[in-house]
Amino acid sequence: MNNLVFLSLPGFRPSDLDQMPCLSALMGAGQRQPLRASFPAVTWPVQANMLTGCRPSQHGVVGNGFYWRESHEVEMWTAWNEKILAPQVWDLMHQDSPALTSAVWFPMLSKGCGADFVCMPAPVHNPDGSESLWCYTTPAELYGDLRDELGHFPLKNFWGPLSSIDSTAWIVDSAVMAAGSFRPRLFFLYLPHLDYAAQKHGPDSPEAGHAVEELDAVIGRLVDGFQLAYEGSELTWLAASEYVITEVDHVVYPNRLLREAGLLSVRCEDGMEYLDPAGSLAWALVDHQFANVYVRDADPVVIDRVVHLFQQQEGIAEVLAGARRANRDMDHERAGEVILVSSSHSWQAYYWWQDDARAPDFARTVDIHRKPGYDPVELHLDMATKGVPLDATLVRGSHGAPVQSESQCGIVLSSRPGVLGERPLADVDMAGVILRQFQEPPLGEGVSAD
């Protein structure tokens, strides 16, 4: 009986294998293929691509956050699984047989999913504004068992200036416990460690290289634990890049440009400026190397103004509006009326203020939920002042732009031959690769799932 372990590794590059003896040994008798992330090459969409075999135009995950037009609310990093508008691999496995059980450990949008066993950070937000550590689990009582054995999940080490191998190590150790208790047929793990140093210091920095070595040691611990948990059963391993982080030396501020053009509105409170989505003719929900620009009432005149504004901007490689969004599989009602795509050396910051003295209160804090856009500058928190600097040029690595060169291409590895087929793969192919391992007998020839 075949069991499958899938490691989803953001920032994992083919060259990293040279520093990963544990992973190399695990996959040495197997197979490797280039793996291309679909646009936008950021966490939520890529994970949804892998798990459904669809792209954003079908599953509706158009970024790491959503703008709900009717309520004028931005939702960053809090959405539940129902936001994925397509069946996922565990749903399809259950359709084939209830005995094909699955565990999903820490990928985004997994709260409330149909997997049999789930673990995902879900801190409790207290009335006084503080947070209490907790995780969403299926079954619900599972987190109590994990906490009693391992302590609370170290949320402070999961993202931000204190990010470290400790969070990925906890994910691994808790997965080993769950594997020993439940032995699911599919175990899907998100191991985020390579994301941090590469964005903060650059993908070729000594710090990024050290992170690769740390991750490999933790993967070795995972392998040892799973071999004991699944003793006597066949175990196949897959390790896949979610995306590759590239060096950046340039930043674009779409909201500042929209404001200067008279399209973005702010509201002032206590001398600070806050974005006013409802009052803006257009504003940008930025996300690494792309942005969804939302245009009020989809006004075609405003859309044309936005397109004209960004077509010649340094650092912007593509401006997609209307039907042209389908060129990048982003023609979904949740997407912006205009999509801004960065050049590979540039990224996009959410700032809309021109004077740092008027920045909103959350700008200098680590606050991934209140900021209407992704902010990697949080990694550069000044520990002396406990404040996030308002200098977007500090960021050295980014991702999200379309894969157009070998340096942006990731890799997928299997521990046995015949699993990946004979051609390079895209992230949407991973769902098909996973599902074929549970056919009788498993098929080796790769087919696209989209």
Side-chain angles (χ1 to χ4, degrees), residues 270-316:
D270 299 324
M272 294 176 284
E273 296 175 346
Y274 293 84
L275 176 69
D276 180 10
S280 296
L281 293 175
W283 71 279
L285 180 55
V286 303
D287 201 342
H288 296 274
Q289 290 184 314
F290 84 104
N292 282 295
V293 180
Y294 293 96
V295 175
R296 191 168 70 193
D297 301 324
D299 186 327
V301 174
V302 177
I303 290 173
D304 286 345
R305 288 181 63 188
V306 173
V307 171
H308 180 73
L309 178 65
F310 287 101
Q311 276 181 329
Q312 303 302 320
Q313 286 294 330
E314 181 184 358
I316 300 296

Short mmCIF file of all heavy atoms in Angstrom, two decimals, residues 270-316:
data_model
loop_
_atom_site.label_atom_id
_atom_site.label_comp_id
_atom_site.label_asym_id
_atom_site.label_seq_id
_atom_site.Cartn_x
_atom_site.Cartn_y
_atom_site.Cartn_z
N ASP A 270 -6.12 61.63 13.57
CA ASP A 270 -5.03 61.98 14.48
C ASP A 270 -3.73 62.26 13.74
O ASP A 270 -2.64 61.87 14.17
CB ASP A 270 -4.81 60.85 15.50
CG ASP A 270 -6.04 60.61 16.37
OD1 ASP A 270 -6.72 61.59 16.69
OD2 ASP A 270 -6.31 59.44 16.68
N GLY A 271 -3.85 62.93 12.60
CA GLY A 271 -2.68 63.30 11.84
C GLY A 271 -2.10 62.19 10.98
O GLY A 271 -1.07 62.39 10.33
N MET A 272 -2.75 61.02 10.96
CA MET A 272 -2.27 59.90 10.16
C MET A 272 -3.23 59.65 8.99
O MET A 272 -4.43 59.89 9.10
CB MET A 272 -2.15 58.64 11.04
CG MET A 272 -1.09 58.76 12.12
SD MET A 272 -1.01 57.33 13.23
CE MET A 272 -2.46 57.62 14.26
N GLU A 273 -2.68 59.13 7.91
CA GLU A 273 -3.46 58.91 6.68
C GLU A 273 -3.73 57.42 6.49
O GLU A 273 -2.80 56.61 6.47
CB GLU A 273 -2.70 59.46 5.48
CG GLU A 273 -2.51 60.97 5.55
CD GLU A 273 -1.66 61.51 4.42
OE1 GLU A 273 -1.00 60.69 3.73
OE2 GLU A 273 -1.66 62.74 4.22
N TYR A 274 -5.02 57.10 6.32
CA TYR A 274 -5.45 55.72 6.11
C TYR A 274 -6.11 55.59 4.74
O TYR A 274 -6.83 56.50 4.30
CB TYR A 274 -6.44 55.30 7.20
CG TYR A 274 -5.81 55.22 8.58
CD1 TYR A 274 -5.69 56.37 9.36
CD2 TYR A 274 -5.32 54.02 9.08
CE1 TYR A 274 -5.10 56.32 10.62
CE2 TYR A 274 -4.72 53.96 10.33
CZ TYR A 274 -4.62 55.11 11.09
OH TYR A 274 -4.03 55.05 12.33
N LEU A 275 -5.86 54.48 4.09
CA LEU A 275 -6.48 54.22 2.80
C LEU A 275 -8.00 54.21 2.92
O LEU A 275 -8.55 53.65 3.87
CB LEU A 275 -5.99 52.87 2.26
CG LEU A 275 -6.62 52.39 0.95
CD1 LEU A 275 -6.16 53.27 -0.20
CD2 LEU A 275 -6.25 50.93 0.69
N ASP A 276 -8.67 54.81 1.95
CA ASP A 276 -10.13 54.81 1.88
C ASP A 276 -10.55 54.06 0.62
O ASP A 276 -10.77 54.67 -0.43
CB ASP A 276 -10.65 56.25 1.84
CG ASP A 276 -12.17 56.33 1.77
OD1 ASP A 276 -12.83 55.28 1.94
OD2 ASP A 276 -12.69 57.43 1.53
N PRO A 277 -10.69 52.73 0.70
CA PRO A 277 -11.04 51.96 -0.50
C PRO A 277 -12.37 52.38 -1.10
O PRO A 277 -12.51 52.49 -2.32
CB PRO A 277 -11.07 50.51 0.00
CG PRO A 277 -10.22 50.50 1.22
CD PRO A 277 -10.45 51.84 1.85
N ALA A 278 -13.37 52.62 -0.24
CA ALA A 278 -14.69 52.98 -0.75
C ALA A 278 -14.68 54.32 -1.47
O ALA A 278 -15.42 54.52 -2.44
CB ALA A 278 -15.70 53.00 0.40
N GLY A 279 -13.86 55.24 -1.00
CA GLY A 279 -13.82 56.57 -1.60
C GLY A 279 -12.85 56.71 -2.75
O GLY A 279 -12.80 57.76 -3.40
N SER A 280 -12.06 55.67 -3.01
CA SER A 280 -11.05 55.74 -4.06
C SER A 280 -11.62 55.32 -5.40
O SER A 280 -12.38 54.35 -5.49
CB SER A 280 -9.85 54.84 -3.72
OG SER A 280 -9.20 55.28 -2.55
N LEU A 281 -11.24 56.03 -6.44
CA LEU A 281 -11.58 55.58 -7.80
C LEU A 281 -10.75 54.36 -8.17
O LEU A 281 -11.22 53.49 -8.92
CB LEU A 281 -11.34 56.70 -8.80
CG LEU A 281 -12.26 57.93 -8.68
CD1 LEU A 281 -11.83 59.01 -9.66
CD2 LEU A 281 -13.71 57.52 -8.93
N ALA A 282 -9.53 54.27 -7.65
CA ALA A 282 -8.68 53.10 -7.90
C ALA A 282 -7.63 53.02 -6.79
O ALA A 282 -7.13 54.04 -6.33
CB ALA A 282 -7.99 53.21 -9.26
N TRP A 283 -7.34 51.80 -6.37
CA TRP A 283 -6.27 51.57 -5.40
C TRP A 283 -5.70 50.19 -5.64
O TRP A 283 -6.33 49.34 -6.29
CB TRP A 283 -6.78 51.71 -3.96
CG TRP A 283 -7.68 50.60 -3.50
CD1 TRP A 283 -9.02 50.46 -3.76
CD2 TRP A 283 -7.29 49.45 -2.74
NE1 TRP A 283 -9.49 49.30 -3.20
CE2 TRP A 283 -8.46 48.66 -2.56
CE3 TRP A 283 -6.09 49.02 -2.18
CZ2 TRP A 283 -8.45 47.45 -1.86
CZ3 TRP A 283 -6.08 47.81 -1.48
CH2 TRP A 283 -7.25 47.05 -1.32
N ALA A 284 -4.49 49.95 -5.15
CA ALA A 284 -3.76 48.72 -5.46
C ALA A 284 -3.55 47.87 -4.21
O ALA A 284 -2.99 48.34 -3.21
CB ALA A 284 -2.41 49.05 -6.08
N LEU A 285 -4.00 46.62 -4.27
CA LEU A 285 -3.68 45.63 -3.25
C LEU A 285 -2.41 44.93 -3.72
O LEU A 285 -2.44 44.04 -4.56
CB LEU A 285 -4.83 44.62 -3.10
CG LEU A 285 -4.66 43.51 -2.06
CD1 LEU A 285 -4.35 44.07 -0.68
CD2 LEU A 285 -5.88 42.62 -2.01
N VAL A 286 -1.26 45.37 -3.18
CA VAL A 286 0.02 44.89 -3.67
C VAL A 286 0.40 43.58 -2.98
O VAL A 286 0.00 43.32 -1.85
CB VAL A 286 1.14 45.94 -3.47
CG1 VAL A 286 0.78 47.24 -4.15
CG2 VAL A 286 1.43 46.16 -1.99
N ASP A 287 1.18 42.78 -3.70
CA ASP A 287 1.49 41.43 -3.23
C ASP A 287 2.81 40.99 -3.86
O ASP A 287 2.82 40.43 -4.95
CB ASP A 287 0.34 40.49 -3.64
CG ASP A 287 0.28 39.22 -2.81
OD1 ASP A 287 1.29 38.89 -2.16
OD2 ASP A 287 -0.78 38.57 -2.83
N HIS A 288 3.91 41.31 -3.19
CA HIS A 288 5.23 40.94 -3.70
C HIS A 288 5.48 41.63 -5.06
O HIS A 288 5.72 42.81 -5.10
CB HIS A 288 5.38 39.43 -3.81
CG HIS A 288 5.32 38.69 -2.51
ND1 HIS A 288 6.40 38.50 -1.70
CD2 HIS A 288 4.27 38.11 -1.87
CE1 HIS A 288 6.06 37.81 -0.62
NE2 HIS A 288 4.75 37.57 -0.70
N GLN A 289 5.41 40.85 -6.15
CA GLN A 289 5.74 41.38 -7.47
C GLN A 289 4.53 41.56 -8.39
O GLN A 289 4.65 41.54 -9.62
CB GLN A 289 6.78 40.49 -8.16
CG GLN A 289 8.16 40.55 -7.50
CD GLN A 289 9.19 39.74 -8.24
OE1 GLN A 289 8.95 38.59 -8.61
NE2 GLN A 289 10.36 40.33 -8.46
N PHE A 290 3.37 41.75 -7.81
CA PHE A 290 2.20 42.08 -8.62
C PHE A 290 1.21 42.83 -7.74
O PHE A 290 1.37 42.92 -6.52
CB PHE A 290 1.58 40.82 -9.22
CG PHE A 290 0.62 40.09 -8.32
CD1 PHE A 290 -0.75 40.19 -8.51
CD2 PHE A 290 1.08 39.31 -7.26
CE1 PHE A 290 -1.64 39.52 -7.68
CE2 PHE A 290 0.20 38.64 -6.43
CZ PHE A 290 -1.17 38.75 -6.64
N ALA A 291 0.19 43.37 -8.37
CA ALA A 291 -0.86 44.05 -7.63
C ALA A 291 -2.19 43.90 -8.36
O ALA A 291 -2.24 43.93 -9.59
CB ALA A 291 -0.54 45.54 -7.46
N ASN A 292 -3.25 43.72 -7.58
CA ASN A 292 -4.61 43.83 -8.09
C ASN A 292 -5.04 45.28 -7.88
O ASN A 292 -5.11 45.75 -6.74
CB ASN A 292 -5.56 42.90 -7.32
CG ASN A 292 -5.44 41.46 -7.75
OD1 ASN A 292 -5.75 41.12 -8.89
ND2 ASN A 292 -4.99 40.60 -6.84
N VAL A 293 -5.31 45.99 -8.95
CA VAL A 293 -5.81 47.36 -8.85
C VAL A 293 -7.33 47.33 -8.99
O VAL A 293 -7.85 46.91 -10.03
CB VAL A 293 -5.19 48.28 -9.91
CG1 VAL A 293 -5.74 49.70 -9.76
CG2 VAL A 293 -3.67 48.29 -9.80
N TYR A 294 -8.01 47.76 -7.94
CA TYR A 294 -9.47 47.73 -7.93
C TYR A 294 -10.01 49.10 -8.33
O TYR A 294 -9.66 50.12 -7.73
CB TYR A 294 -9.97 47.32 -6.55
CG TYR A 294 -9.61 45.88 -6.23
CD1 TYR A 294 -8.47 45.58 -5.49
CD2 TYR A 294 -10.38 44.84 -6.72
CE1 TYR A 294 -8.12 44.26 -5.23
CE2 TYR A 294 -10.04 43.51 -6.47
CZ TYR A 294 -8.91 43.24 -5.72
OH TYR A 294 -8.56 41.93 -5.47
N VAL A 295 -10.85 49.11 -9.35
CA VAL A 295 -11.41 50.34 -9.91
C VAL A 295 -12.89 50.38 -9.57
O VAL A 295 -13.64 49.46 -9.86
CB VAL A 295 -11.22 50.38 -11.44
CG1 VAL A 295 -11.91 51.61 -12.03
CG2 VAL A 295 -9.73 50.38 -11.79
N ARG A 296 -13.30 51.48 -8.93
CA ARG A 296 -14.68 51.61 -8.48
C ARG A 296 -15.65 51.52 -9.65
O ARG A 296 -15.51 52.19 -10.66
CB ARG A 296 -14.87 52.94 -7.75
CG ARG A 296 -16.21 53.04 -7.01
CD ARG A 296 -16.21 54.23 -6.08
NE ARG A 296 -16.23 55.50 -6.80
CZ ARG A 296 -15.99 56.67 -6.22
NH1 ARG A 296 -15.67 56.73 -4.93
NH2 ARG A 296 -16.04 57.79 -6.92
N ASP A 297 -16.63 50.62 -9.48
CA ASP A 297 -17.67 50.39 -10.49
C ASP A 297 -17.10 49.96 -11.84
O ASP A 297 -17.79 50.05 -12.87
CB ASP A 297 -18.53 51.65 -10.68
CG ASP A 297 -19.22 52.10 -9.41
OD1 ASP A 297 -19.63 51.21 -8.63
OD2 ASP A 297 -19.34 53.32 -9.19
N ALA A 298 -15.86 49.48 -11.83
CA ALA A 298 -15.21 49.04 -13.08
C ALA A 298 -15.35 50.09 -14.17
O ALA A 298 -15.56 49.77 -15.36
CB ALA A 298 -15.78 47.69 -13.54
N ASP A 299 -15.19 51.34 -13.79
CA ASP A 299 -15.35 52.46 -14.72
C ASP A 299 -14.31 52.36 -15.84
O ASP A 299 -13.10 52.43 -15.58
CB ASP A 299 -15.17 53.77 -13.94
CG ASP A 299 -15.47 55.00 -14.78
OD1 ASP A 299 -15.21 54.99 -15.99
OD2 ASP A 299 -15.94 56.00 -14.20
N PRO A 300 -14.75 52.21 -17.09
CA PRO A 300 -13.78 52.02 -18.18
C PRO A 300 -12.86 53.23 -18.38
O PRO A 300 -11.71 53.06 -18.80
CB PRO A 300 -14.66 51.78 -19.41
CG PRO A 300 -16.01 52.32 -19.05
CD PRO A 300 -16.14 52.14 -17.58
N VAL A 301 -13.36 54.42 -18.09
CA VAL A 301 -12.51 55.61 -18.22
C VAL A 301 -11.37 55.57 -17.20
O VAL A 301 -10.21 55.85 -17.53
CB VAL A 301 -13.35 56.90 -18.05
CG1 VAL A 301 -12.44 58.13 -18.05
CG2 VAL A 301 -14.39 57.00 -19.16
N VAL A 302 -11.70 55.19 -15.96
CA VAL A 302 -10.68 55.09 -14.91
C VAL A 302 -9.71 53.95 -15.22
O VAL A 302 -8.49 54.08 -15.02
CB VAL A 302 -11.33 54.91 -13.54
CG1 VAL A 302 -10.25 54.73 -12.46
CG2 VAL A 302 -12.20 56.11 -13.20
N ILE A 303 -10.24 52.84 -15.72
CA ILE A 303 -9.37 51.71 -16.08
C ILE A 303 -8.34 52.16 -17.12
O ILE A 303 -7.14 51.87 -17.00
CB ILE A 303 -10.20 50.53 -16.61
CG1 ILE A 303 -11.01 49.90 -15.47
CG2 ILE A 303 -9.30 49.48 -17.26
CD1 ILE A 303 -11.99 48.83 -15.91
N ASP A 304 -8.78 52.90 -18.11
CA ASP A 304 -7.84 53.39 -19.14
C ASP A 304 -6.80 54.32 -18.52
O ASP A 304 -5.63 54.29 -18.90
CB ASP A 304 -8.61 54.13 -20.23
CG ASP A 304 -9.39 53.19 -21.15
OD1 ASP A 304 -9.10 51.98 -21.11
OD2 ASP A 304 -10.27 53.67 -21.87
N ARG A 305 -7.22 55.16 -17.57
CA ARG A 305 -6.27 56.06 -16.91
C ARG A 305 -5.22 55.26 -16.13
O ARG A 305 -4.03 55.61 -16.16
CB ARG A 305 -7.01 57.01 -15.97
CG ARG A 305 -7.82 58.08 -16.66
CD ARG A 305 -8.50 58.99 -15.65
NE ARG A 305 -7.53 59.72 -14.82
CZ ARG A 305 -7.87 60.45 -13.76
NH1 ARG A 305 -9.14 60.53 -13.39
NH2 ARG A 305 -6.93 61.08 -13.06
N VAL A 306 -5.66 54.21 -15.45
CA VAL A 306 -4.73 53.38 -14.68
C VAL A 306 -3.74 52.69 -15.62
O VAL A 306 -2.52 52.67 -15.36
CB VAL A 306 -5.49 52.35 -13.83
CG1 VAL A 306 -4.52 51.37 -13.18
CG2 VAL A 306 -6.33 53.05 -12.76
N VAL A 307 -4.25 52.12 -16.69
CA VAL A 307 -3.37 51.45 -17.65
C VAL A 307 -2.33 52.44 -18.18
O VAL A 307 -1.13 52.14 -18.22
CB VAL A 307 -4.21 50.85 -18.80
CG1 VAL A 307 -3.27 50.36 -19.91
CG2 VAL A 307 -5.07 49.71 -18.30
N HIS A 308 -2.77 53.62 -18.58
CA HIS A 308 -1.85 54.62 -19.12
C HIS A 308 -0.81 55.05 -18.08
O HIS A 308 0.37 55.24 -18.39
CB HIS A 308 -2.63 55.84 -19.61
CG HIS A 308 -1.77 56.92 -20.18
ND1 HIS A 308 -1.14 56.83 -21.41
CD2 HIS A 308 -1.39 58.14 -19.67
CE1 HIS A 308 -0.44 57.92 -21.62
NE2 HIS A 308 -0.57 58.73 -20.60
N LEU A 309 -1.25 55.15 -16.82
CA LEU A 309 -0.35 55.58 -15.74
C LEU A 309 0.82 54.64 -15.55
O LEU A 309 1.95 55.07 -15.29
CB LEU A 309 -1.16 55.71 -14.44
CG LEU A 309 -0.40 56.10 -13.17
CD1 LEU A 309 0.17 57.51 -13.30
CD2 LEU A 309 -1.32 56.00 -11.95
N PHE A 310 0.58 53.34 -15.70
CA PHE A 310 1.61 52.36 -15.35
C PHE A 310 2.34 51.76 -16.54
O PHE A 310 3.35 51.08 -16.35
CB PHE A 310 0.98 51.22 -14.52
CG PHE A 310 0.64 51.64 -13.12
CD1 PHE A 310 -0.67 51.96 -12.77
CD2 PHE A 310 1.63 51.74 -12.15
CE1 PHE A 310 -0.99 52.35 -11.48
CE2 PHE A 310 1.32 52.13 -10.85
CZ PHE A 310 0.00 52.45 -10.52
N GLN A 311 1.88 52.03 -17.75
CA GLN A 311 2.49 51.37 -18.90
C GLN A 311 3.97 51.69 -19.07
O GLN A 311 4.74 50.85 -19.53
CB GLN A 311 1.72 51.73 -20.18
CG GLN A 311 0.50 50.86 -20.40
CD GLN A 311 -0.23 51.21 -21.68
OE1 GLN A 311 -0.23 52.36 -22.12
NE2 GLN A 311 -0.87 50.22 -22.28
N GLN A 312 4.38 52.88 -18.70
CA GLN A 312 5.77 53.27 -18.89
C GLN A 312 6.53 53.39 -17.57
O GLN A 312 7.61 53.96 -17.54
CB GLN A 312 5.83 54.61 -19.65
CG GLN A 312 5.14 54.60 -20.99
CD GLN A 312 5.70 53.55 -21.93
OE1 GLN A 312 6.93 53.33 -21.97
NE2 GLN A 312 4.83 52.89 -22.67
N GLN A 313 5.97 52.84 -16.48
CA GLN A 313 6.63 52.95 -15.19
C GLN A 313 7.80 51.97 -15.09
O GLN A 313 7.66 50.78 -15.39
CB GLN A 313 5.64 52.67 -14.06
CG GLN A 313 4.65 53.78 -13.80
CD GLN A 313 5.31 55.04 -13.27
OE1 GLN A 313 6.33 54.99 -12.58
NE2 GLN A 313 4.72 56.19 -13.59
N GLU A 314 8.93 52.46 -14.65
CA GLU A 314 10.07 51.57 -14.41
C GLU A 314 9.70 50.52 -13.36
O GLU A 314 9.07 50.84 -12.35
CB GLU A 314 11.28 52.37 -13.91
CG GLU A 314 12.51 51.52 -13.67
CD GLU A 314 13.67 52.29 -13.08
OE1 GLU A 314 13.53 53.52 -12.89
OE2 GLU A 314 14.71 51.66 -12.79
N GLY A 315 10.07 49.29 -13.62
CA GLY A 315 9.78 48.20 -12.69
C GLY A 315 8.47 47.49 -12.96
O GLY A 315 8.22 46.44 -12.36
N ILE A 316 7.64 48.02 -13.86
CA ILE A 316 6.38 47.36 -14.23
C ILE A 316 6.55 46.77 -15.62
O ILE A 316 6.76 47.49 -16.60
CB ILE A 316 5.20 48.34 -14.20
CG1 ILE A 316 5.02 48.93 -12.80
CG2 ILE A 316 3.92 47.65 -14.67
CD1 ILE A 316 4.65 47.92 -11.73
#
